[in-house]
Amino acid sequence: MSHGAGLVRTTCSSGGGGAAGPGTQTSEGLLDPAYPRTQGAMLKVAQMVTLLIAFICVRSSAWTDYSAYSYFEVVTICDLIMILAFYLVHLFRFYRVLTCISWPLSELLHYVIGTLLLLIASIVAASKSYNQSGLIAGAIFGFLATFLCLASLWLSYKISCGTQSADASA
């Protein structure tokens, strides 16, 4: 009766959970409680709110040009969904599980493409508003969301390129 090598599973973590003092927080767990207070998270929430307001303003107004405002609606909702997805990736730490994706680079590419499309949609919406207050408000919130996306683009660029330059110098 030969006993071969077997697999031993334990319930202890390698983070030293028992040795941590009462004032220290471990980085284990699904939810990152510190993320909502970061600069990037606050920018994402501000973007989502302004995009939602822009969408509601345009959706509740009488349209003068169907193709311009349907494009604006599609761009704002798609951008809102992608920003929400990145917010959830950081909040629930999915970047630790899905390591095959370069999250800073994918976020950078999203902001480059999304900001450009949102700027175009806001310009088209502003030019086709014809003094209707809901459409003008939607375009203004679209421009505000574009500015916030530019701020996130700069932050994402700083993180993405700062990480690559730090890796190259090490």
Side-chain angles (χ1 to χ4, degrees), residues 104-128:
L105 184 60
S106 63
E107 195 168 354
L108 177 70
L109 289 175
H110 161 260
Y111 279 121
V112 166
I113 295 167
T115 303
L116 183 64
L117 291 176
L118 189 59
L119 178 65
I120 292 168
S122 298
I123 289 171
V124 170
S127 67
K128 304 276 185 174

Side-chain angles (χ1 to χ4, degrees), residues 39-162:
Q39 190 178 30
M42 289 185 210
L43 268 173
K44 283 179 179 55
V45 169
Q47 291 165 5
M48 289 187 285
V49 168
T50 55
L51 286 169
L52 186 62
I53 292 172
F55 176 79
I56 290 171
C57 287
V58 169
R59 187 69 184 162
S60 62
S61 299
W63 292 358
T64 55
D65 189 358
Y66 179 77
S67 62
Y69 290 105
S70 62
Y71 173 70
F72 185 83
E73 282 185 341
V74 167
V75 168
T76 54
I77 287 298
C78 287
D79 212 12
L80 185 129
I81 290 170
M82 286 303 298
I83 292 169
L84 179 63
F86 282 115
Y87 184 83
L88 293 176
V89 161
H90 290 290
L91 182 66
F92 290 110
R93 298 178 180 173
F94 290 139
Y95 56 86
R96 291 183 177 177
V97 177
L98 300 171
T99 56
C100 60
I101 299 172
S102 173
W103 289 106
L105 184 60
S106 63
E107 195 168 354
L108 177 70
L109 289 175
H110 161 260
Y111 279 121
V112 166
I113 295 167
T115 303
L116 183 64
L117 291 176
L118 189 59
L119 178 65
I120 292 168
S122 298
I123 289 171
V124 170
S127 67
K128 304 276 185 174
S129 64
Y130 301 114
N131 293 327
Q132 292 187 0
S133 59
L135 300 178
I136 293 171
I140 289 171
F141 277 105
F143 283 120
L144 182 60
T146 302
F147 173 74
L148 291 171
C149 285
L150 281 172
S152 287
L153 175 68
W154 177 76
L155 184 65
S156 182
Y157 174 76
K158 191 169 76 168
I159 290 170
S160 177
C161 292

